[in-house]
Amino acid sequence: ASYIIKRTTNSSLLKFLFWYSIGTGTHNNPSYPLPSTISKSMLLLSIVDSALVAINIFNAFVLFAQLHPVESPLKKHLLDRMLRMVSGFHSTNGVFVVLLSLLCTTTWSATRYYQEDDAAMLIRAIISGYSLACTSIFVKLSHQMLKLSIDRLLELEKEVARHDICNFTPPTKSVMDALMTPYKPFISVESTGLERIPSNTPHLFVSNHSLYGIEMPLLVNQLYQYKDTFPRGLADHIHFATLNGPIIRAFGAVDGTKENVDALMEKGESVLVYPGGGHEVLKHSKVPRYELMWKQRVGFARCAIKHGYPILPCACVGTEDMFESVCDIPVGYRGLVAPISVTKPSKLQKVYFWFGAPIETKQYNGEYTRDEYAQEVRDKAKMAIEAGIKELKARQANDPERYTVDQYKSKIRSKFSSSSVSAAVSDDEHSKED
């Protein structure tokens, strides 16, 4: 602390707080005597530093509100709060006062630095100048934003997001396969029914979601590597409010809104949807494994009917058998819980995928608003997926190499067996030569 104080100005806020935090212990220290009164210079610098901190915190909030993804459910609330705070400054002379104060502080701090060669003044001048530049930019942006309503701002951002969605370029197959590297030592994949997927035809892939959503990149990679199809996954809004947003966006996932689905289908993109959504990903420990939790959702069926997209039912089994539930923690969002589960090496196993026959929707002539049509398509997809899950469970139960440990054992035995055969053949050839 003494070193820090010595390197800063004699009348800085840090030294002032240090003096009063250690109390009478500094009375006997001639290097840092405790002042009897607060100097005007110290009080001024304390106010300046506090103001700089407050301005930069406000600028950080403005930046966070503007850069927050439009798909996030927090976006509208953040913009509303930001515009309310900004409008208070714009309705008065507050903006002019803040900018003028920052300009004066920058000039005064730089002048003091050149006069006294005070490092603290240099730092204060840099921070003040940076704050002036950022605040000037945000004032200009907020002035333009105030002329528009929040709904209009969100609409513009969504238009830009849809443009990015439609112009997405998937990674190459080699890159996609390399991204699966963390899975390969622990999880193998077996697919059934890939031959049922027609080539050069966009589909709406509908599947069950497994615990934690581990299977999604594996499913996308299977379709991409073997059928040259890169389906665009529909994700819940909450994903884009977390650090998970950029990751799933790199895999082509988009916010699961009707507008985004319409944009993708109008372009002829294949789409992947999990009607169970977050309720299947964050499945309660009391819910049976692989049980569909669709409730009465028919949105995916309406989109398929509207655009005449064939629905291709998919099923997945394997990931939920790797985990043993410990507890469920309520998250306070739409009744979801955060399931805490554990696994162990002996539980790691193969993931099985099943692809069914396409379910056509063109016979409904685009009448997506009719509830009976949507319900009928939904029920067909659900029955097909449940049948696929049942088939995969039977295949899983009879697979001698279901577990990863057994797969490694089989590879080792095969390697030793081939080595023994090679050695036997070599000995036989030598005996013939003799």
Side-chain angles (χ1 to χ4, degrees):
S2 299
Y3 175 78
I4 294 174
I5 289 176
K6 190 174 181 180
R7 297 297 299 171
T8 56
T9 179
N10 290 333
S11 57
S12 67
L13 177 62
L14 177 61
K15 185 173 180 181
F16 166 71
L17 294 174
F18 179 75
W19 276 333
Y20 282 88
S21 65
I22 62 176
T24 58
T26 56
H27 281 316
N28 299 323
N29 189 342
S31 301
Y32 304 106
L34 183 65
S36 58
T37 59
I38 302 175
S39 65
K40 292 182 179 180
S41 177
M42 179 182 292
L43 182 60
L44 176 62
L45 288 175
S46 301
I47 295 173
V48 169
D49 292 342
S50 300
L52 286 175
V53 170
I55 290 171
N56 280 284
I57 290 175
F58 179 74
N59 285 345
F61 171 73
V62 172
L63 183 64
F64 178 73
Q66 291 183 349
L67 296 183
H68 204 64
V70 68
E71 300 93 344
S72 169
L74 301 176
K75 179 70 173 183
K76 187 171 184 177
H77 301 291
L78 289 172
L79 282 180
D80 181 59
R81 182 60 59 88
M82 184 199 74
L83 291 179
R84 285 185 182 182
M85 297 170 68
V86 169
S87 62
F89 283 98
H90 280 274
S91 61
T92 62
N93 292 324
V95 172
F96 175 75
V97 172
V98 169
L99 292 176
L100 183 61
S101 299
L102 287 172
L103 179 61
C104 293
T105 302
T106 305
T107 305
W108 174 68
S109 300
T111 303
R112 285 282 300 273
Y113 166 69
Y114 285 112
Q115 290 177 349
E116 303 175 8
D117 194 23
D118 191 342
M121 281 297 175
L122 175 61
I123 295 173
R124 191 173 284 109
I126 294 173
I127 294 175
S128 182
Y130 169 79
S131 303
L132 175 62
C134 291
T135 306
S136 301
I137 295 172
F138 291 149
V139 166
K140 178 65 175 178
L141 290 175
S142 60
H143 180 70
Q144 295 175 346
M145 294 172 68
L146 285 172
K147 295 180 179 179
L148 303 172
S149 64
I150 294 179
D151 292 335
R152 178 56 180 158
L153 288 172
L154 292 174
E155 183 181 342
L156 290 173
E157 287 200 38
K158 288 177 180 178
E159 287 180 8
V160 174
R162 280 194 291 272
H163 177 271
D164 294 338
I165 288 171
C166 293
N167 289 275
F168 171 80
T169 301
T172 62
K173 289 185 178 181
S174 58
V175 171
M176 189 68 184
D177 191 56
L179 291 174
M180 298 296 106
T181 302
Y183 285 93
K184 292 179 180 179
F186 311 105
I187 300 175
S188 60
V189 178
E190 181 179 309
S191 296
T192 303
L194 284 169
E195 68 281 357
R196 300 190 188 109
I197 304 175
S199 301
N200 303 320
T201 302
H203 290 82
L204 176 60
F205 293 89
V206 182
S207 179
N208 64 307
H209 227 340
S210 295
L211 189 64
Y212 303 129
I214 297 174
E215 85 292 343
M216 180 179 179
L218 295 172
L219 174 60
V220 173
N221 189 53
Q222 287 287 296
L223 292 171
Y224 195 29
Q225 299 294 339
Y226 298 105
K227 299 301 295 185
D228 200 26
T229 298
F230 194 93
R232 307 293 299 278
L234 304 183
D236 193 277
H237 314 301
I238 194 65
H239 284 293
F240 300 95
T242 65
L243 297 177
N244 191 38
I247 298 175
I248 63 173
R249 193 179 281 115
F251 280 96
V254 303
D255 188 22
T257 63
K258 295 179 181 178
E259 294 80 9
N260 287 342
V261 176
D262 287 340
L264 290 172
M265 289 186 169
E266 287 171 2
K267 192 185 175 186
E269 297 260 10
S270 288
V271 180
L272 170 62
V273 62
Y274 295 96
H279 290 278
E280 289 182 357
V281 173
L282 303 176
K283 188 175 294 182
H284 198 283
S285 58
K286 294 181 180 179
V287 178
R289 291 172 178 171
Y290 310 112
E291 181 174 308
L292 299 183
M293 302 176 67
W294 291 12
K295 299 181 180 179
Q296 297 300 319
R297 295 175 180 172
V298 294
F300 73 93
R302 294 188 190 279
C303 290
I305 294 172
K306 180 179 180 180
H307 296 276
Y309 258 55
I311 290 178
L312 203 139
C314 314
C316 173
V317 165
T319 56
E320 294 186 8
D321 294 297
M322 300 182 196
F323 299 98
E324 294 180 0
S325 177
V326 176
C327 64
D328 299 310
I329 301 175
V331 299
Y333 177 71
R334 298 192 309 187
L336 295 174
V337 298
I340 306 300
S341 304
V342 295
T343 188
K344 51 187 178 181
S346 60
K347 297 284 286 184
L348 298 177
Q349 56 190 278
K350 188 183 295 184
V351 174
Y352 303 83
F353 290 110
W354 171 90
F355 301 94
I359 300 172
E360 294 294 338
T361 61
K362 290 183 178 179
Q363 66 270 25
Y364 301 107
N365 300 318
E367 298 182 47
Y368 66 96
T369 57
R370 297 188 62 172
D371 295 338
E372 62 272 23
Y373 288 172
Q375 188 69 37
E376 181 180 342
V377 172
R378 172 193 176 278
D379 291 343
K380 287 181 180 179
K382 185 177 181 181
M383 290 176 60
I385 293 172
E386 288 175 340
I389 292 174
K390 185 177 180 179
E391 180 181 326
L392 290 181
K393 284 183 177 180
R395 179 182 293 272
Q396 179 192 56
N398 297 318
D399 190 353
E401 295 187 359
R402 168 184 174 181
Y403 293 98
T404 304
V405 173
D406 294 331
Q407 295 170 24
Y408 279 110
K409 288 180 181 178
S410 178
K411 290 179 181 178
I412 293 172
R413 284 195 298 266
S414 176
K415 185 175 181 180
F416 277 106
S417 176
S418 60
S419 299
S420 300
V421 171
S422 299
V425 171
S426 178
D427 292 341
D428 185 55
E429 289 178 352
H430 285 302
S431 62
K432 287 181 180 180
E433 290 177 358
D434 292 341

